[in-house]
Amino acid sequence: MTIADVRPPSGDSTGRPLEWLEAEICTLAGHIAAATCRLLLLIGEFDERAGWQTRECLSCAHWLSWK
């Protein structure tokens, strides 16, 4: 079942079917996992290329905490 299979009632934010809530939660969790993966890959590349040094930071972790 996907989010497209079960739609909430129009204009009703409190009476959503549990199936719709389950599908929405799973869909959003998938988006978060994909975004987290992308973020970590980019941070890894940034660290490998020492991008943090251009900001006079001591490490990638230092740069991340500063940002």
Side-chain angles (χ1 to χ4, degrees), residues 2-58:
T2 67
I3 195 71
D5 296 330
V6 182
R7 296 273 181 216
S10 179
D12 182 7
S13 63
T14 60
R16 295 176 181 162
L18 289 176
E19 293 83 4
W20 184 89
L21 289 171
E22 179 182 7
E24 182 72 357
I25 289 166
C26 290
T27 297
L28 292 174
H31 289 296
I32 291 168
T36 299
C37 179
R38 177 82 174 125
L39 174 65
L40 292 174
L41 290 170
L42 291 172
I43 290 171
E45 182 180 344
F46 187 78
D47 189 23
E48 285 177 12
R49 296 173 60 182
W52 45 270
Q53 288 180 339
T54 63
R55 300 292 185 183
E56 298 181 12
C57 292
L58 302 175

